[in-house]
Every structure is written in C-alpha cells, then in structure tokens.
Amino acid sequence: NAGVTQTPKFQVLKTGQSMTLQCAQDMNHNSMYWYRQDPGMGLRLIYYSASEGTTDKGEVPNGYNVSRLNKREFSLRLESAAPSQTSVYFCASTREVRGEAFFGQGTRLTVV
Amino acid sequence: QKEVEQNSGPLSVPEGAIASLNCTYSDRGSQSFFWYRQYSGKSPELIMSIYSNGDKEDGRFTAQLNKASQYVSLLIRDSQPSDSATYLCAVKGLAGGTSYGKLTFGQGTILTVHP
C-alpha cells in the first residue's frame, strides 16, 4: 500500500541547474499539492492541482513549474535552481469531500 | 494577514500536563480543519480532523472548532514526551470558493514535553 511516493529523497544541485521532482499517488485522489517547508515557516503551497488537467498557483510559485501528467502523477520542475530554493519539498494528495491530506516522504533539496 | 496563523511557540509543558495549541484562519468559507503532527525529519501525519462547530475527542486529543470566531484549537491531555513534535494546523476551503479547495497550513508550533 504505497500511498504517495516522491522521488528523489535527497538532491544537491548547482545554481542554474534544472531538475524535476516526481510524485505519484495510488489512492485515486483528484487533488494533489506541492509544498515547501523551511524552518519556522510551516508548509507553504507552491502549486496545486484540483483535478487532472488543471493546475493553480499557491503562495510561492515563482521559480517553479508543474505538470499534472495524469490522475496519479504530479511533477514539480525547477528550471534554473537558486540557493533560495534550498528546502524540503512535500507532495500530498487529498481525499475528496473531507480533504484529509496524505504526504510523500519529502525531498531534501540543497542548491549550492 | 496570513490565511492560517498559529500561536507562537515554542511551547513547553511538563509530562502529564495539558498542552493547548491554537489556530485562526481568515477564509470564512473554509469547510475542513485538520491538525497534523510532524516529527523532525519526517512527513506530517494527520492526528485530528474536524468539520463542524464544537468539540471532537479522540483518545488524549480534543479538537475544538468555532467558525464564528474562525478559531480552531487542539488540546493534548496527559502529555507525554513522545508528543514532542511540531503541530501544524491546516484549513481546506470549499471547492469553488475563494480558496478554491486548496489546503493551507499554518507555520506550526513546536511542542516539547519534558519529563
């Protein structure tokens, strides 16, 4: 019973490099989310997708792009990484109606 | 004003005491309210959900919701050292409402329960 799977778990990038964080869920949820977590800041919403084919900006979307590839998968892309994007990234999906969120294990990204 | 705000921490309580965590939210259209616990280096895990005004109890945890005051709280009775973690309040708006059904978190409150 996998739930939400995120890859990779750790990544070090050089400034200017690009990468894609992958997320997949097997719970048949419509809504999926990408958050970043910095010390003392809680979880800040980057982008979310209420259903396949739709995406919306959250609180901190600058420097990121997303793709809702299908109902299962929601990827986050950093086109040109910056040190300010050093953070822990979490993907989540939510049940319909009640809205409980299930999280992936997180990706710890360091940009040097 | 942040959409979801939690009382400033960190919060330190002795073992066996009641820990009280508070959260306010700005969107009156919010429908679902959650408390998550997050241990250091781990993902958030859901511990309580509440959808209507009043209290909801689950073991040592009680969530309280007051939609008129836009306030939600979490009480932890008989606190244990294993309760030491960051507690995150989360609010979900109604799909189609001003917050478009998105799930928004507060900044978290660090709780330490000392023996």
Side-chain angles (χ1 to χ4, degrees):
Chain A
N1 195 5
V4 180
T5 303
Q6 262 183 260
T7 56
K9 290 185 179 180
F10 300 94
Q11 184 71 49
V12 178
L13 289 179
K14 293 182 178 179
T15 298
Q17 286 185 319
S18 62
M19 79 162 294
T20 300
L21 281 65
Q22 306 286 353
C23 177
Q25 52 92 10
D26 62 2
M27 295 173 284
N28 203 36
H29 291 163
N30 282 322
S31 299
M32 296 185 73
Y33 303 76
W34 277 105
Y35 295 92
R36 62 176 288 173
Q37 187 171 38
D38 304 293
M41 302 292 287
L43 290 165
R44 291 187 293 169
L45 183 63
I46 305 171
Y47 272 93
Y48 68 107
S49 171
S51 62
E52 183 180 353
T54 68
T55 60
D56 286 284
K57 294 179 180 179
E59 181 184 356
V60 289
N62 292 343
Y64 305 96
N65 286 301
V66 290
S67 295
R68 184 73 183 267
L69 305 170
N70 47 55
K71 191 171 186 178
R72 291 187 65 249
E73 298 172 287
F74 188 37
S75 62
L76 178 72
R77 182 160 178 84
L78 287 70
E79 291 290 352
S80 179
S84 61
Q85 294 178 306
T86 294
S87 189
V88 179
Y89 292 83
F90 288 101
C91 176
S93 68
T94 58
R95 285 186 200 271
E96 311 315 319
V97 183
R98 293 301 201 181
E100 300 99 322
F102 297 84
F103 285 86
Q105 67 269 50
T107 297
R108 187 172 296 273
L109 175 66
T110 302
V111 183
V112 299
Chain B
Q1 180 189 4
K2 288 184 65 67
E3 293 183 46
V4 180
E5 291 200 60
Q6 295 184 232
N7 55 321
S8 59
L11 179 64
S12 180
V13 301
E15 185 173 356
I18 295 175
S20 177
L21 304 162
N22 303 312
C23 175
T24 57
Y25 60 95
S26 60
D27 182 7
R28 285 194 173 274
S30 299
Q31 296 292 310
S32 305
F33 307 86
F34 308 96
W35 284 99
Y36 287 82
R37 177 176 62 199
Q38 186 178 26
Y39 293 114
S40 181
K42 301 295 186 182
S43 303
E45 58 176 327
L46 180 68
I47 54 172
M48 289 291 285
S49 58
I50 188 166
Y51 306 99
S52 55
N53 282 330
D55 295 358
K56 179 181 178 182
E57 187 174 318
D58 184 0
R60 296 186 295 111
F61 298 98
T62 299
Q64 300 173 316
L65 175 62
N66 183 325
K67 288 188 177 180
S69 299
Q70 295 175 244
Y71 175 91
V72 59
S73 66
L74 178 71
L75 298 177
I76 306 174
R77 292 181 301 281
D78 188 23
S79 296
Q80 301 297 309
S82 59
D83 295 325
S84 298
T86 297
Y87 289 80
L88 297 159
C89 172
V91 175
K92 192 169 192 291
L94 184 64
T98 56
S99 57
Y100 302 100
K102 67 182 179 183
L103 184 65
T104 304
F105 285 81
Q107 75 273 31
T109 300
I110 298 172
L111 172 67
T112 301
V113 181
H114 51 88

